[in-house]
Amino acid sequence: MGRFYEKLKNRWQSTESLLCVGLDPHSGYLLMEKYPKSQLPCLDFCKEIVDATAEFACAFKFQFACFGGQGMEEDLEQAINHVRMAYPDIPVILDSKRGDIGSTAVEYAEESFMRYGADALTVNPYLGSDCIEVFAGYPDRGVIVLCRTSNPGSAELQELQCGDRMLYEQVAYLAANKWNNNSNISLVMGATQPETLAKVRIMVGDMPFLVPGIGAQGGNLKAVLKYGLTESGHGLMINVSRGIAEAGWRENMDFDFQAVHDAAKSYFDLIKTTKSEIS
């Protein structure tokens, strides 16, 4: 069992949290105006979000594009390091959806796991085993493979029929039966198609799912829990990004981090209450 899964499992058990807090500090947040004297405004913002929500989080997920697109890679590196130093028991996911082969994949893996120090990375499996094996070759790190995503256009490819399976089912089959030699593979399973969680859960057993789509995309939480939980009552990282971070935004450019704390607590409580209703 890899370090990522061990940390995640311990976090599930110690906090009973299934909430993954997403950090997507896009340019619309106007962070330079909020932190006019800061050289690393994105870092300052993320540290405050992390500190406000850590008690409710089973994991933190950093969206790479929101940093790289603004030339704030140093903010990302230091923000992840802040989690590692202040909250070493909470796993960090780098959401960059990498997917390549050979020396290029090696460099992407080095970037994610060594430079940024992420515990896990999202990976696009379209290039097949040649891609996955490079990232999964880090046995202490997690590889979270895109399987059935939450965006409306995902069915164009993911529901293509491949023999007796749809394409997303074939990805799940390979993840469980070919790619998981180091027990460090997880899957992205969108909340907007909860019935697919039931199919994939049967195929992959206790493999963890990263589940986007509950907040702004309107996924059905009760269905996600019903179909996605493992027998132990865990197995899910239910991601909420904008629904937590944007709860603190105010028109006067001030930011209410108590409101962020309260939003994270609200999602934590909602997940816990809904879970008890279906058990």
Side-chain angles (χ1 to χ4, degrees), residues 201-229:
R201 177 56 75 204
I202 292 171
M203 296 177 69
V204 303
D206 290 343
M207 183 178 288
F209 293 166
L210 174 63
V211 183
I214 283 293
Q217 296 182 57
N220 186 321
L221 175 60
K222 188 171 185 177
V224 165
L225 293 168
K226 178 181 178 181
Y227 297 129
L229 286 172

Short mmCIF file of all heavy atoms in Angstrom, two decimals, residues 201-229:
data_model
loop_
_atom_site.label_atom_id
_atom_site.label_comp_id
_atom_site.label_asym_id
_atom_site.label_seq_id
_atom_site.Cartn_x
_atom_site.Cartn_y
_atom_site.Cartn_z
N ARG A 201 -17.53 0.70 -9.01
CA ARG A 201 -17.21 0.22 -7.66
C ARG A 201 -17.19 -1.31 -7.64
O ARG A 201 -16.30 -1.92 -7.01
CB ARG A 201 -18.23 0.76 -6.66
CG ARG A 201 -18.05 0.29 -5.22
CD ARG A 201 -16.66 0.58 -4.68
NE ARG A 201 -16.46 1.98 -4.34
CZ ARG A 201 -15.26 2.55 -4.29
NH1 ARG A 201 -14.16 1.84 -4.58
NH2 ARG A 201 -15.11 3.82 -3.98
N ILE A 202 -18.11 -1.95 -8.33
CA ILE A 202 -18.12 -3.41 -8.40
C ILE A 202 -16.86 -3.92 -9.10
O ILE A 202 -16.27 -4.93 -8.70
CB ILE A 202 -19.38 -3.90 -9.13
CG1 ILE A 202 -20.63 -3.60 -8.28
CG2 ILE A 202 -19.30 -5.39 -9.44
CD1 ILE A 202 -21.93 -3.85 -9.02
N MET A 203 -16.40 -3.19 -10.11
CA MET A 203 -15.25 -3.63 -10.89
C MET A 203 -13.93 -3.49 -10.14
O MET A 203 -13.03 -4.31 -10.30
CB MET A 203 -15.17 -2.83 -12.20
CG MET A 203 -16.34 -3.04 -13.14
SD MET A 203 -16.20 -2.00 -14.62
CE MET A 203 -14.80 -2.77 -15.44
N VAL A 204 -13.80 -2.45 -9.31
CA VAL A 204 -12.49 -2.12 -8.75
C VAL A 204 -12.38 -2.32 -7.25
O VAL A 204 -11.32 -2.05 -6.66
CB VAL A 204 -12.09 -0.67 -9.11
CG1 VAL A 204 -12.10 -0.46 -10.62
CG2 VAL A 204 -12.99 0.35 -8.41
N GLY A 205 -13.44 -2.77 -6.60
CA GLY A 205 -13.37 -3.01 -5.15
C GLY A 205 -13.19 -1.74 -4.36
O GLY A 205 -13.90 -0.76 -4.56
N ASP A 206 -12.22 -1.72 -3.45
CA ASP A 206 -12.03 -0.60 -2.52
C ASP A 206 -11.20 0.55 -3.08
O ASP A 206 -10.84 1.47 -2.36
CB ASP A 206 -11.36 -1.09 -1.23
CG ASP A 206 -12.29 -1.96 -0.40
OD1 ASP A 206 -13.51 -1.93 -0.64
OD2 ASP A 206 -11.79 -2.68 0.49
N MET A 207 -10.88 0.53 -4.35
CA MET A 207 -10.05 1.58 -4.95
C MET A 207 -10.67 2.96 -4.69
O MET A 207 -11.86 3.16 -4.88
CB MET A 207 -9.92 1.35 -6.46
CG MET A 207 -9.03 2.33 -7.18
SD MET A 207 -8.87 1.95 -8.94
CE MET A 207 -7.84 0.47 -8.86
N PRO A 208 -9.87 3.95 -4.25
CA PRO A 208 -10.43 5.28 -3.96
C PRO A 208 -10.92 5.99 -5.22
O PRO A 208 -10.35 5.82 -6.30
CB PRO A 208 -9.24 6.03 -3.34
CG PRO A 208 -8.32 4.97 -2.86
CD PRO A 208 -8.47 3.84 -3.82
N PHE A 209 -11.97 6.79 -5.04
CA PHE A 209 -12.51 7.64 -6.10
C PHE A 209 -12.35 9.10 -5.70
O PHE A 209 -12.71 9.48 -4.59
CB PHE A 209 -14.01 7.38 -6.33
CG PHE A 209 -14.37 6.03 -6.88
CD1 PHE A 209 -15.69 5.62 -6.85
CD2 PHE A 209 -13.41 5.18 -7.42
CE1 PHE A 209 -16.06 4.38 -7.36
CE2 PHE A 209 -13.77 3.93 -7.92
CZ PHE A 209 -15.10 3.53 -7.89
N LEU A 210 -11.83 9.90 -6.62
CA LEU A 210 -11.91 11.36 -6.50
C LEU A 210 -13.15 11.80 -7.25
O LEU A 210 -13.28 11.54 -8.46
CB LEU A 210 -10.66 12.01 -7.10
CG LEU A 210 -10.65 13.54 -7.19
CD1 LEU A 210 -10.73 14.18 -5.81
CD2 LEU A 210 -9.42 14.04 -7.94
N VAL A 211 -14.07 12.46 -6.55
CA VAL A 211 -15.39 12.75 -7.11
C VAL A 211 -15.60 14.26 -7.23
O VAL A 211 -15.92 14.93 -6.23
CB VAL A 211 -16.51 12.13 -6.25
CG1 VAL A 211 -17.88 12.37 -6.89
CG2 VAL A 211 -16.28 10.64 -6.05
N PRO A 212 -15.42 14.83 -8.43
CA PRO A 212 -15.77 16.24 -8.65
C PRO A 212 -17.24 16.35 -9.05
O PRO A 212 -17.88 15.36 -9.41
CB PRO A 212 -14.87 16.62 -9.83
CG PRO A 212 -14.75 15.34 -10.62
CD PRO A 212 -14.78 14.22 -9.60
N GLY A 213 -17.76 17.57 -8.96
CA GLY A 213 -19.10 17.82 -9.50
C GLY A 213 -20.21 17.99 -8.49
O GLY A 213 -21.36 18.20 -8.87
N ILE A 214 -19.90 17.94 -7.19
CA ILE A 214 -20.94 18.08 -6.18
C ILE A 214 -21.38 19.54 -6.01
O ILE A 214 -22.55 19.83 -5.85
CB ILE A 214 -20.47 17.52 -4.82
CG1 ILE A 214 -20.53 16.00 -4.85
CG2 ILE A 214 -21.32 18.03 -3.66
CD1 ILE A 214 -21.94 15.43 -4.94
N GLY A 215 -20.44 20.46 -6.04
CA GLY A 215 -20.76 21.86 -5.74
C GLY A 215 -21.43 22.57 -6.90
O GLY A 215 -22.62 22.42 -7.16
N ALA A 216 -20.64 23.36 -7.64
CA ALA A 216 -21.20 24.20 -8.69
C ALA A 216 -21.82 23.40 -9.83
O ALA A 216 -22.72 23.89 -10.52
CB ALA A 216 -20.10 25.12 -9.24
N GLN A 217 -21.37 22.15 -10.05
CA GLN A 217 -21.90 21.36 -11.16
C GLN A 217 -23.17 20.60 -10.81
O GLN A 217 -23.78 19.97 -11.68
CB GLN A 217 -20.83 20.38 -11.65
CG GLN A 217 -19.60 21.09 -12.23
CD GLN A 217 -18.56 20.10 -12.75
OE1 GLN A 217 -18.85 19.27 -13.60
NE2 GLN A 217 -17.36 20.19 -12.22
N GLY A 218 -23.57 20.64 -9.54
CA GLY A 218 -24.88 20.13 -9.16
C GLY A 218 -25.03 18.63 -9.07
O GLY A 218 -26.13 18.10 -9.26
N GLY A 219 -23.96 17.91 -8.78
CA GLY A 219 -24.05 16.46 -8.63
C GLY A 219 -24.90 16.05 -7.44
O GLY A 219 -25.07 16.81 -6.48
N ASN A 220 -25.43 14.85 -7.50
CA ASN A 220 -26.33 14.33 -6.47
C ASN A 220 -25.51 13.64 -5.37
O ASN A 220 -25.02 12.53 -5.56
CB ASN A 220 -27.32 13.34 -7.10
CG ASN A 220 -28.37 12.86 -6.13
OD1 ASN A 220 -28.11 12.61 -4.96
ND2 ASN A 220 -29.60 12.71 -6.62
N LEU A 221 -25.38 14.30 -4.23
CA LEU A 221 -24.54 13.78 -3.15
C LEU A 221 -25.07 12.45 -2.62
O LEU A 221 -24.29 11.52 -2.38
CB LEU A 221 -24.45 14.79 -2.01
CG LEU A 221 -23.70 14.34 -0.76
CD1 LEU A 221 -22.25 13.98 -1.09
CD2 LEU A 221 -23.76 15.41 0.32
N LYS A 222 -26.36 12.35 -2.43
CA LYS A 222 -26.93 11.13 -1.86
C LYS A 222 -26.65 9.94 -2.77
O LYS A 222 -26.27 8.84 -2.29
CB LYS A 222 -28.43 11.29 -1.66
CG LYS A 222 -29.08 10.14 -0.90
CD LYS A 222 -30.52 10.46 -0.54
CE LYS A 222 -31.13 9.35 0.32
NZ LYS A 222 -32.52 9.69 0.73
N ALA A 223 -26.78 10.14 -4.07
CA ALA A 223 -26.51 9.05 -5.01
C ALA A 223 -25.03 8.70 -5.04
O ALA A 223 -24.66 7.52 -5.14
CB ALA A 223 -26.99 9.44 -6.41
N VAL A 224 -24.17 9.71 -4.95
CA VAL A 224 -22.72 9.46 -4.93
C VAL A 224 -22.36 8.57 -3.74
O VAL A 224 -21.61 7.59 -3.86
CB VAL A 224 -21.94 10.78 -4.88
CG1 VAL A 224 -20.48 10.54 -4.48
CG2 VAL A 224 -22.01 11.49 -6.21
N LEU A 225 -22.90 8.90 -2.57
CA LEU A 225 -22.61 8.11 -1.38
C LEU A 225 -23.22 6.72 -1.47
O LEU A 225 -22.59 5.72 -1.10
CB LEU A 225 -23.13 8.84 -0.14
CG LEU A 225 -22.41 10.15 0.20
CD1 LEU A 225 -23.18 10.93 1.25
CD2 LEU A 225 -20.99 9.89 0.68
N LYS A 226 -24.41 6.63 -1.98
CA LYS A 226 -25.09 5.34 -2.10
C LYS A 226 -24.31 4.38 -2.99
O LYS A 226 -24.14 3.20 -2.67
CB LYS A 226 -26.49 5.54 -2.64
CG LYS A 226 -27.27 4.24 -2.86
CD LYS A 226 -28.66 4.52 -3.42
CE LYS A 226 -29.43 3.23 -3.67
NZ LYS A 226 -30.78 3.50 -4.24
N TYR A 227 -23.82 4.89 -4.11
CA TYR A 227 -23.18 4.03 -5.10
C TYR A 227 -21.66 3.96 -4.97
O TYR A 227 -21.04 3.02 -5.49
CB TYR A 227 -23.53 4.51 -6.51
CG TYR A 227 -24.99 4.43 -6.85
CD1 TYR A 227 -25.66 5.53 -7.37
CD2 TYR A 227 -25.72 3.27 -6.62
CE1 TYR A 227 -27.01 5.47 -7.69
CE2 TYR A 227 -27.08 3.20 -6.93
CZ TYR A 227 -27.71 4.30 -7.46
OH TYR A 227 -29.05 4.25 -7.76
N GLY A 228 -21.06 4.96 -4.31
CA GLY A 228 -19.60 5.03 -4.32
C GLY A 228 -18.89 4.58 -3.07
O GLY A 228 -17.70 4.25 -3.12
N LEU A 229 -19.58 4.55 -1.93
CA LEU A 229 -18.92 4.16 -0.69
C LEU A 229 -18.48 2.70 -0.73
O LEU A 229 -19.13 1.85 -1.34
CB LEU A 229 -19.87 4.36 0.50
CG LEU A 229 -20.13 5.80 0.96
CD1 LEU A 229 -21.25 5.81 2.00
CD2 LEU A 229 -18.87 6.45 1.51
#
